[in-house]
Amino acid sequence: MLKNTQASWGIISRLFHWVIALMVVTLLTVGLIMTGMEPGAEKWKLYGLHKTTGMTVLALVILRLFWRVFNPVPALPKGLSQWQMIAAYANIYFLYLLLFCMPLSGFIMSVFGGHDIDYFGLVTIKAVTQGQTPLGILSHAVHITLAYVIIGVVSLHVAAALYHQFYLKNNLLRRM
C-alpha cells in the first residue's frame, strides 16, 4: 500500500522515514569526522558531500511534510497514557523542526561564510559574502548545537521505538 492507513504507515511514508534517518545518521557521523580532519582535499570533498546531502534532507523533509498533510496519520498504539501521547507527538514535531532547521543553518553558515554550495554538479549556490559574517558565525554555532540536540532527540526516538516493540510488544516499530 502506497498511502498510510489508520493502522499503518504506507510505503511512501516508510521510505521517507528510513531514507531520511539513514541520511541524518550519515550526516552526523561524517560531520563529526570531517570537523576533526586536517585541512586538505579529502576534507573539502567531505564538506561538499555533507552540504549536498544536507540540502537533499531539507528537500525530503519538506516533501515528507506535504505527504503527511495529505495522508492519514496512523493512530498511536492503544493503552498509552496521556503523558506518553504528548511525549510521542512532541518528539515527532521537534524532530521535524530540527530536520528543517539543521540543513537551513548549514545553508546559512555556508553562504554567509564565503562558501558556495555545489549541488551534485547540477547547480551552484553562490556565497553571499567573500568571507565570514556575524550571521555565518552564528549559524555555525547553531548548526553545531543542533547536531548534538538531534543526536539526543533521535536517541530518545529510537529508545522509545525499541521500548514499544520489545517491552510493550505493541508492534509500533513494525508499522514503520
Side-chain angles (χ1 to χ4, degrees), residues 69-147:
V69 166
F70 296 108
N71 277 274
V73 174
L76 291 173
K78 293 184 189 327
L80 294 182
S81 67
Q82 185 71 22
W83 77 265
Q84 286 174 315
M85 291 190 299
I86 291 169
Y89 285 121
N91 183 268
I92 294 299
Y93 293 126
F94 193 43
L95 271 173
Y96 277 123
L97 179 64
L98 289 168
L99 293 176
F100 181 78
C101 291
M102 183 68 165
L104 191 60
S105 67
F107 175 83
I108 294 168
M109 174 178 61
S110 288
V111 298
F112 285 93
H115 304 287
D116 296 343
I117 299 174
D118 179 11
Y119 192 78
F120 294 114
L122 301 172
V123 175
T124 299
I125 302 166
K126 291 291 190 184
V128 175
T129 63
Q130 292 297 317
Q132 278 291 1
T133 65
L135 183 56
I137 294 166
L138 175 63
S139 295
H140 180 264
V142 168
H143 197 70
I144 299 302
T145 301
L146 290 179

Side-chain angles (χ1 to χ4, degrees), residues 151-172:
I151 290 169
V153 174
V154 167
S155 297
L156 181 62
H157 187 74
V158 170
L162 294 174
Y163 171 77
H164 280 273
Q165 185 66 31
F166 298 112
Y167 183 76
L168 296 179
K169 299 184 188 311
N170 58 16
N171 288 322
L172 185 79

Side-chain angles (χ1 to χ4, degrees), residues 3 10 21 23-24 33 35-36 41 47 72 85 89 106 108 136 148 168 172:
K3 291 189 162 200
M23 292 174 85
V24 167
I33 291 169
T35 56
Y47 267 87
M85 291 190 299
Y89 285 121
I108 294 168
Y148 290 104
L168 296 179
L172 185 79

